[in-house]
Short mmCIF file of all heavy atoms in Angstrom, two decimals:
data_model
loop_
_atom_site.label_atom_id
_atom_site.label_comp_id
_atom_site.label_asym_id
_atom_site.label_seq_id
_atom_site.Cartn_x
_atom_site.Cartn_y
_atom_site.Cartn_z
N GLY A 407 12.60 -33.84 -14.88
CA GLY A 407 12.33 -35.26 -14.80
C GLY A 407 13.26 -36.04 -13.87
O GLY A 407 12.82 -36.87 -13.10
N ILE A 408 14.51 -35.66 -13.98
CA ILE A 408 15.52 -36.35 -13.16
C ILE A 408 15.27 -36.06 -11.63
O ILE A 408 15.30 -36.99 -10.82
CB ILE A 408 16.97 -35.95 -13.54
CG1 ILE A 408 17.30 -36.46 -14.94
CG2 ILE A 408 17.99 -36.37 -12.48
CD1 ILE A 408 18.62 -35.89 -15.52
N GLN A 409 14.97 -34.84 -11.33
CA GLN A 409 14.70 -34.45 -9.95
C GLN A 409 13.46 -35.20 -9.42
O GLN A 409 13.48 -35.65 -8.27
CB GLN A 409 14.50 -32.91 -9.79
CG GLN A 409 15.76 -32.08 -10.05
CD GLN A 409 16.88 -32.38 -9.08
OE1 GLN A 409 17.59 -33.36 -9.11
NE2 GLN A 409 17.12 -31.43 -8.11
N ALA A 410 12.42 -35.33 -10.24
CA ALA A 410 11.23 -36.04 -9.89
C ALA A 410 11.54 -37.47 -9.56
O ALA A 410 11.17 -38.12 -8.56
CB ALA A 410 10.14 -35.91 -10.91
N ARG A 411 12.31 -38.13 -10.54
CA ARG A 411 12.58 -39.55 -10.48
C ARG A 411 13.47 -39.77 -9.18
O ARG A 411 13.23 -40.61 -8.34
CB ARG A 411 13.41 -39.96 -11.68
CG ARG A 411 13.79 -41.41 -11.71
CD ARG A 411 14.80 -41.65 -12.84
NE ARG A 411 16.08 -40.98 -12.55
CZ ARG A 411 17.04 -40.78 -13.45
NH1 ARG A 411 16.90 -41.23 -14.75
NH2 ARG A 411 18.17 -40.22 -13.13
N ASP A 412 14.53 -38.99 -9.01
CA ASP A 412 15.47 -39.19 -7.98
C ASP A 412 14.99 -38.80 -6.62
O ASP A 412 15.61 -39.20 -5.59
CB ASP A 412 16.83 -38.51 -8.26
CG ASP A 412 17.47 -39.14 -9.54
OD1 ASP A 412 17.00 -40.16 -10.03
OD2 ASP A 412 18.49 -38.54 -9.99
N SER A 413 13.91 -38.04 -6.55
CA SER A 413 13.37 -37.73 -5.17
C SER A 413 12.16 -38.63 -4.90
O SER A 413 11.53 -38.39 -3.84
CB SER A 413 12.90 -36.24 -5.25
OG SER A 413 11.85 -36.03 -6.16
N ASN A 414 11.86 -39.59 -5.68
CA ASN A 414 10.75 -40.50 -5.45
C ASN A 414 9.45 -39.75 -5.36
O ASN A 414 8.59 -40.01 -4.53
CB ASN A 414 11.02 -41.36 -4.19
CG ASN A 414 9.97 -42.45 -4.00
OD1 ASN A 414 9.61 -43.06 -5.00
ND2 ASN A 414 9.51 -42.69 -2.77
N THR A 415 9.30 -38.80 -6.30
CA THR A 415 8.04 -38.04 -6.39
C THR A 415 6.99 -38.84 -7.13
O THR A 415 7.32 -39.70 -7.89
CB THR A 415 8.36 -36.76 -7.22
OG1 THR A 415 9.04 -35.81 -6.30
CG2 THR A 415 7.16 -36.13 -7.82
N LYS A 416 5.69 -38.57 -6.74
CA LYS A 416 4.61 -39.28 -7.41
C LYS A 416 4.20 -38.59 -8.72
O LYS A 416 3.97 -39.25 -9.66
CB LYS A 416 3.38 -39.39 -6.51
CG LYS A 416 3.48 -40.44 -5.46
CD LYS A 416 2.18 -40.68 -4.80
CE LYS A 416 2.30 -41.82 -3.77
NZ LYS A 416 1.08 -41.95 -2.94
N LYS A 417 4.09 -37.29 -8.62
CA LYS A 417 3.55 -36.53 -9.80
C LYS A 417 4.42 -35.27 -9.99
O LYS A 417 4.59 -34.48 -9.08
CB LYS A 417 2.15 -36.14 -9.55
CG LYS A 417 1.45 -35.49 -10.69
CD LYS A 417 -0.04 -35.22 -10.40
CE LYS A 417 -0.76 -34.70 -11.64
NZ LYS A 417 -0.89 -35.75 -12.71
N LEU A 418 4.83 -35.07 -11.26
CA LEU A 418 5.64 -33.87 -11.58
C LEU A 418 4.80 -32.94 -12.42
O LEU A 418 4.16 -33.35 -13.38
CB LEU A 418 6.86 -34.29 -12.41
CG LEU A 418 7.69 -33.15 -13.09
CD1 LEU A 418 8.35 -32.29 -12.04
CD2 LEU A 418 8.76 -33.83 -13.98
N ILE A 419 4.72 -31.69 -11.93
CA ILE A 419 3.99 -30.64 -12.71
C ILE A 419 4.97 -29.56 -13.18
O ILE A 419 5.71 -28.98 -12.29
CB ILE A 419 2.87 -30.02 -11.83
CG1 ILE A 419 1.86 -31.12 -11.38
CG2 ILE A 419 2.16 -28.96 -12.67
CD1 ILE A 419 0.71 -30.64 -10.61
N LEU A 420 5.01 -29.42 -14.43
CA LEU A 420 6.00 -28.42 -15.02
C LEU A 420 5.41 -27.02 -15.12
O LEU A 420 4.28 -26.85 -15.52
CB LEU A 420 6.46 -28.92 -16.42
CG LEU A 420 7.12 -30.24 -16.53
CD1 LEU A 420 7.49 -30.63 -17.90
CD2 LEU A 420 8.35 -30.29 -15.63
N VAL A 421 6.24 -26.05 -14.71
CA VAL A 421 5.90 -24.61 -14.83
C VAL A 421 7.10 -23.83 -15.36
O VAL A 421 8.21 -24.39 -15.55
CB VAL A 421 5.46 -24.04 -13.49
CG1 VAL A 421 4.12 -24.65 -12.96
CG2 VAL A 421 6.57 -24.13 -12.39
N HIS A 422 6.91 -22.51 -15.52
CA HIS A 422 8.04 -21.61 -15.90
C HIS A 422 8.71 -21.99 -17.19
O HIS A 422 9.93 -22.20 -17.27
CB HIS A 422 9.09 -21.57 -14.72
CG HIS A 422 9.98 -20.34 -14.75
ND1 HIS A 422 11.13 -20.32 -15.53
CD2 HIS A 422 9.93 -19.14 -14.13
CE1 HIS A 422 11.70 -19.14 -15.37
NE2 HIS A 422 10.99 -18.41 -14.56
#
Side-chain angles (χ1 to χ4, degrees):
Chain A
I408 292 171
Q409 292 297 74
R411 182 193 67 196
D412 293 353
S413 62
N414 190 36
T415 280
K416 282 194 176 168
K417 186 178 187 63
L418 170 63
I419 302 181
L420 300 178
V421 294
H422 199 275

